[in-house]
Amino acid sequence: MTSTCPTGHASEADDYCDVCGLPIGADAAAAPAEEPADAGAPSGEQSGESAGQSAGAAAAAAPVPEAPEVPDAATCPNCQASNPPNALFCEACGYDFTTGTMPRPVTPSPLDLSDLTGFPPASPSFPPPSFPPPSSPPPSSPPSSPPAGEAEPEPAAPAEPAVAPLAPALDEPWVAEVWIDPDWYAEQDSADPLPSAGVPQVIRIPATSALVGRTSRSRGIHPDVDLASDTGISRRHCQLTTDGTRWWVEDLGSSNGTYVGSSVGTLPRQPLPPGEKREVAPGERIYLGAWTRIVVRRGQPGEV
């Protein structure tokens, strides 16, 4: 439907003129109506000057639209991955939203024997077997027909694919006692609200090597100690290993670092260097994320 503005222009829009920008309809009530040409209209120069003044006055009176509010950015500027609101770092590449720093490069560790299949990493004492490279198959020749009266042999079944060895199971039960530590939370710059502390969560450590982090189904990451509620923890944050008596922790290049401190005194300030194993003495604590504190100890009867 075509509308006519106060200056006589035909416009497809019914709110503002497509030619001169004057308001149409209810907004045009304040604008003076143009007199017909045969009712004593002024000369051409005066008419143009009057129309220009009317257009300027109407444009000045028109309300200026407010700029739309920009929603909180949830897209990583480094890899363009989508992240949940108030995330401390990018889940895909580790970009730090708080400081704007790029993710630290991950130093490969000889103790990290995990693969892309989602299996837990193998123990350093039991490296995966090496297989020789497959040889080139001989050139194929057309199959020969069996002699008359004999049945054709059945084709051989395909070989089963090789599976990466799992870490040996522990002879005695060990657990990771996970606490929500308000003192550690007070030292972190986290926008997430602190959950209620409550009783600690006890997670059994099934093997001599255990991954600590947060589950990611799209990336095939399934940690043995899953701390999904703390968004300050990386998907593959750190690795716990043991010889059955002593325990070590190794940071896997996490975004917010892994710390080890005593049960008395001040909280630790220096994170572990990525890729370096650090022995966790009895009674020492592992700090990570926005509020998580872990104590590795032997399991009690009936506890796990």
Side-chain angles (χ1 to χ4, degrees), residues 180-273:
I180 296 176
D181 193 332
D183 294 335
W184 179 250
Y185 174 80
E187 296 291 332
Q188 311 308 308
D189 186 14
S190 175
D192 294 340
L194 178 68
S196 176
V199 297
Q201 180 184 8
V202 178
I203 303 175
R204 179 168 184 174
I205 303 176
T208 57
S209 182
L211 175 64
V212 179
R214 295 190 300 126
T215 297
S216 175
R217 299 183 183 276
S218 60
R219 299 169 59 185
I221 300 176
H222 302 277
D224 301 289
V225 181
D226 188 2
L227 307 174
S229 61
D230 192 342
T231 57
I233 295 177
S234 300
R235 298 295 183 181
R236 299 181 71 256
H237 197 100
C238 62
Q239 192 83 18
L240 296 173
T241 54
T242 182
D243 60 359
T245 304
R246 299 180 300 171
W247 283 89
W248 292 265
V249 61
E250 174 191 355
D251 185 85
L252 301 179
S254 63
S255 297
N256 296 321
T258 303
Y259 301 76
V260 177
S262 174
S263 58
V264 295
T266 60
L267 294 171
R269 302 288 183 179
Q270 189 67 26
L272 301 180

